[in-house]
């Protein structure tokens, strides 16, 4: 077994027992990237010399007999919408093709202070808008289980890198499912924490009231470990929560006895693939055998989640993306005067999907339509939040599929944005309500593509979904499998 196939916690043990060195581990990962990435296309930028330098620092600490933290020396990949000081951060957009941030995002400060080894920056849908990573202005990332399939998105590079053994863990961002859906498509674990748990400082804004950074890992233990490293109040993000951060690894307990798990009937309606439905039902049966209680619940406003999300997210995006004007950030395309310069820059350097969302967003926010669209969407958002509040009076967590189907073919939906938007049905309600959710693998379909399910927690209760996810994971043996 090569080192790239292992989890962060296994590698941590090996590092502390001096069975391997951090440099050896880092080199193994770069070797794997070299072998694999021309096929997978996860990485936009490799940061080899910095990575090796960090690994050497960790090795020196170990040789001095110092204790190392859980992520010290562990190789990771970072979604390219998270600012990295001195390292290009493009958001997979042409408009930021030359943008080198002068500062680190708070999550990067945290990872760097732990001496996690950053291997490089990975692909995404441009500005995180999409669900297949096909909207990247640079390259198409392939699903490691089947390279004719998408890896999901927008954190497709992060999920594909972890699944392919090109990183031990990755950071992604999730505005409407962009961590959980690619994790599901690639057969790995992905968590969107409660809104406010992780600082958004230095995460390039897509839709500020929905965006959240989170981990993509090979198992639940690593998920808890990475969460420990990145959560916490940050004075640089006024929406980050002052709530105390527990040690999430304390929730790695195999016990769901008497846990009440809600199964929302609205998530099992037509349009969901039979194999996905069966796999998720199978999960509920496993939980029942382990002593949990499965309760049917209703989240009646689920059917409005997609339309609500696709008003609010583009409205916020239109506002956030105003800053790319050829002056403050990124590249400039010249014009006769300032208006023409801005027009040329935005016309030439933004991709189709980004333009579509800017137009939808500005339309929904315009004086004549604000009440009919944006304000209405905010009201429905409140109803969707209330659905969850009501449901959580009776259950501890909620279980759903992560996506209505397994990974689709590259090119299958690029020309049908509405169809692509419908893919987000199971994931966007959590962002609208600010709730934590985790996706974990629960099997494969007949075509050997991974299927994932989602556990939804109460606000700030990542602990219970980690415990339930860990308990389920103990009954399975496929979470460490690397596709051949
Ligand atoms: N697929 C959704 C969208 O296109 C979610 C994206 C995300 O979470 N960043 O907006």
């Amino acid at each position: 077994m090569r080192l790239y196939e292992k989890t962060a916690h296994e590698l941590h043990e090996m590092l502390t027992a001096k069975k391997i060195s951090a440099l050896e581990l880092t080199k193994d990962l770069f070797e794997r990237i070299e072998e694999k990435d021309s096929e997978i296309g996860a990485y936009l930028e490799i940061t080899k010399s910095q990575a090796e330098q960090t690994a050497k620092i960790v090795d020196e600490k170990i040789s001095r007999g110092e204790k190392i933290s859980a992520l010290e020396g562990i190789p990771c990949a970072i979604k390219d919408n998270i600012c990295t000081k001195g390292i290009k951060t493009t958001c997979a957009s042409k408009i930021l093709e030359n943008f080198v941030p002068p500062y680190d995002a708070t999550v990067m400060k945290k990872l760097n202070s732990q001496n996690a080894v950053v291997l490089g920056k990975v692909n995404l849908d441009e500005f995180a808008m999409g669900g297949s990573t096909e909207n990247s202005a640079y390259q198409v990332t392939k699903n490691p289980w089947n390279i004719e399939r998408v890896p999901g998105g927008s954190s497709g590079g992060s999920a594909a890198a972890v699944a392919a053994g090109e990183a031990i863990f990755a950071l992604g961002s999730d505005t409407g499912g962009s961590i959980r859906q690619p994790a599901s498509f690639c057969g790995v674990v992905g968590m969107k924490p409660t809104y406010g748990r992780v600082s958004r400082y230095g995460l390039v804004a897509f839709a500020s009231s929905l965006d959240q950074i989170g981990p993509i890992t090979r198992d639940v233990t690593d998920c808890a470990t990475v969460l420990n490293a990145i959560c916490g109040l940050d004075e640089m993000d006024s929406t980050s929560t002052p709530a105390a951060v527990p040690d999430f690894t304390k929730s790695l307990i195999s016990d769901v006895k008497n846990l009440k798990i809600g199964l929302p009937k609205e998530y099992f309606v037509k349009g969901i693939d039979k194999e996905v439905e069966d796999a998720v039902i199978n999960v509920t049966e496993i939980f029942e055998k382990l002593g949990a209680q499965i309760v049917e619940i209703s989240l009646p406003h689920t059917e409005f989640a997609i339309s609500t999300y696709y008003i609010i997210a583009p409205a916020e995006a239109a506002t956030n993306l105003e800053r790319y004007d050829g002056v403050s950030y990124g590249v400039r395309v010249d014009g006769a005067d300032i208006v023409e310069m801005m027009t040329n820059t935005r016309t030439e350097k933004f991709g189709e999907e980004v333009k579509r969302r800017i137009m939808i967003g500005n339309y929904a926010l315009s004086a004549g339509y604000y009440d009919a669209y944006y304000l209405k969407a905010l009201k429905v958002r409140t109803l969707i939040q209330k659905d969850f509040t009501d449901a959580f009076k009776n259950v501890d967590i909620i279980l759903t599929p992560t996506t209505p189907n397994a990974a689709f073919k590259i090119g299958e939906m690029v020309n049908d944005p509405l169809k692509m938007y419908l893919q987000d049905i199971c994931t966007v309600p959590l962002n609208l309500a600010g709730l934590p959710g985790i996706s974990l693998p629960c099997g494969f379909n007949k075509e050997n593509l991974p299927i994932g399910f989602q556990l939804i927690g109460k606000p700030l209760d990542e602990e219970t979904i980690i415990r339930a996810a860990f308990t389920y994971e103990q009954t399975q043996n496929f979470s460490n499998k690397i596709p051949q």
Side-chain angles (χ1 to χ4, degrees), residues 120-396:
K121 305 293 294 284
V122 282
N123 203 19
L124 63 150
D125 287 298
E126 185 175 0
F127 285 104
M129 297 174 188
S132 68
T133 314
E134 291 164 293
N135 294 338
S136 165
Y138 299 108
Q139 65 199 35
V140 177
T141 300
K142 318 270 172 45
N143 189 313
W145 292 96
N146 181 335
I147 56 167
E148 284 167 16
R149 304 275 169 159
V150 301
S154 64
S155 311
S158 304
V162 174
E166 295 182 43
I168 303 302
F169 75 92
L171 291 187
S173 68
D174 191 313
T175 305
S178 280
I179 289 174
R180 292 158 287 152
Q181 184 253 26
S184 169
F185 280 9
C186 292
V188 291
V189 176
M191 155 138 357
K192 179 197 97 68
T194 306
Y195 184 78
R197 262 287 188 221
V198 181
S199 169
R200 291 183 298 108
Y201 180 70
L203 168 67
V204 177
F206 162 11
S208 312
S209 77
L210 303 160
D211 298 340
Q212 193 64 190
I213 295 171
I216 294 183
T217 58
R218 231 165 261 159
D219 70 2
V220 180
T221 301
D222 283 3
C223 175
T225 306
V226 179
L227 265 192
N228 274 356
I230 61 174
C231 287
L233 177 66
D234 178 13
E235 63 173 18
M236 301 303 280
D237 173 4
S238 60
T239 62
S240 82
T241 171
V245 182
D247 176 356
F248 294 106
T249 60
K250 294 231 164 81
S251 301
L252 299 168
I253 302 164
S254 188
D255 177 16
V256 288
K257 269 191 213 79
N258 302 322
L259 192 75
K260 266 184 146 178
I261 304 180
L263 214 56
K265 58 173 192 253
E266 290 82 2
Y267 284 64
F268 294 87
V269 284
K270 71 169 185 346
I272 174 167
D273 179 87
K274 181 82 175 77
E275 285 183 274
V276 171
E277 182 169 353
D278 289 348
V280 176
I281 295 302
N282 187 36
V283 173
T284 63
E285 286 163 3
I286 292 173
F287 273 123
E288 248 176 342
K289 276 198 201 114
L290 294 167
Q293 195 187 338
I294 308 289
V295 194
E296 195 189 87
I297 59 165
S298 173
L299 298 165
H301 297 93
T302 303
E303 63 171 308
F304 306 115
I306 294 279
S307 23
T308 305
Y309 172 84
Y310 278 99
I311 294 292
I312 292 175
E316 294 186 20
T319 311
N320 276 325
L321 270 59
E322 269 173 28
R323 72 191 68 174
Y324 307 107
D325 54 6
V327 180
S328 328
Y329 298 92
V331 291
R332 169 180 299 182
V333 179
D334 281 331
D337 54 26
I338 188 164
V339 174
E340 200 183 288
M341 180 278 289
M342 287 182 183
T343 308
N344 291 348
T345 302
R346 292 167 68 86
T347 303
E348 220 173 278
K349 299 295 178 181
F350 278 142
E352 291 282 303
E353 184 60 27
V354 173
K355 285 179 193 161
R356 182 177 299 122
R357 299 209 187 189
I358 290 173
M359 287 194 280
I360 294 172
N362 281 324
Y363 182 84
L365 290 173
S366 61
Y369 295 104
Y370 180 92
D371 288 357
Y373 293 105
Y374 185 66
L375 195 62
K376 183 65 113 344
L378 291 184
K379 290 177 180 171
V380 181
R381 181 179 191 173
T382 304
L383 294 174
I384 291 168
Q385 283 165 344
K386 192 174 168 296
D387 280 356
F388 282 107
T389 310
D390 292 344
F392 278 126
K393 284 180 189 147
N394 299 316
V395 296
D396 301 305

